[in-house]
Amino acid sequence: MEAALGVFFICCMSVLSPLSGVSDGELRGCPPSPNCVSSQSMQYNIVHKVDPIVYTTTRQVAFERMAKYFHESENIWIIEEKEGEYIRVIFFTKVFRFPDRVEIYFPEDKQEAQVRSQSILGLWDIFANRRRVNQFRELLAKE
């Protein structure tokens, strides 16, 4: 019974996870459940850690490229967009329409985008968030 209760609370923690947004130049952290990845997680946290997305264009071009992708894609709801700096969206999976929260932050001082992707429902995401971050990486790597 305790194990089932523990799994239930971990699942609820992903719904009630830290708020979204940027605080002191960093995205909020991931909950303890393995359904979230972040480029600003601790270096040795292999469950949540992904590398930031490095781009070779200007910050504005990289932001516009990501914003265009979000505006033109299906199954994406744009929640917040701060021009040239931050985008927060909700992805909906194609088959079951599960929601995933994605945030991308473009700091001024580096040519890299910080990213956080989290499945809102469920305990595990079957690496969907890591695959999504890799798609963003490919999109920003184009010249």
Side-chain angles (χ1 to χ4, degrees):
M1 179 66 180
E2 291 88 18
L5 195 56
V7 169
F8 173 75
F9 282 123
I10 288 174
C11 290
C12 288
M13 288 172 74
S14 64
V15 174
L16 303 171
S17 67
L19 301 173
S20 301
V22 179
S23 176
D24 295 327
E26 291 191 7
L27 296 170
R28 306 282 179 159
C30 285
S33 57
N35 63 349
C36 177
V37 295
S38 174
S39 59
Q40 293 184 320
S41 286
M42 295 181 307
Q43 180 179 0
Y44 300 107
N45 181 348
I46 61 171
V47 174
H48 299 122
K49 181 69 177 161
V50 292
D51 291 330
I53 301 171
V54 178
Y55 51 89
T56 57
T57 62
T58 65
R59 176 182 180 218
Q60 187 62 33
V61 168
F63 178 86
E64 289 172 0
R65 195 175 287 171
M66 288 305 306
K68 181 180 178 190
Y69 170 78
F70 292 142
H71 283 282
E72 294 177 352
S73 296
E74 299 178 352
N75 303 326
I76 295 177
W77 179 31
I78 299 173
I79 305 274
E80 183 179 356
E81 186 174 346
K82 293 181 183 173
E83 186 63 37
E85 181 181 347
Y86 175 76
I87 305 173
R88 179 171 36 132
V89 299
I90 301 287
F91 272 78
F92 293 95
T93 60
K94 292 189 182 206
V95 178
F96 296 110
R97 309 282 297 160
F98 293 130
D100 294 346
R101 182 184 307 135
V102 175
E103 300 175 87
I104 301 179
Y105 170 57
F106 295 85
E108 287 185 44
D109 55 343
K110 298 180 182 176
Q111 280 191 298
E112 64 184 25
Q114 300 295 337
V115 63
R116 180 180 186 272
S117 182
Q118 175 188 359
S119 300
I120 296 174
L121 301 174
L123 179 61
W124 193 45
D125 65 350
I126 313 170
F127 302 112
N129 291 306
R130 287 188 185 279
R131 288 192 305 269
R132 182 176 297 123
V133 170
N134 286 334
Q135 287 177 334
F136 298 159
R137 200 177 305 283
E138 290 173 10
L139 180 69
L140 290 180
K142 292 180 184 175
E143 290 295 324

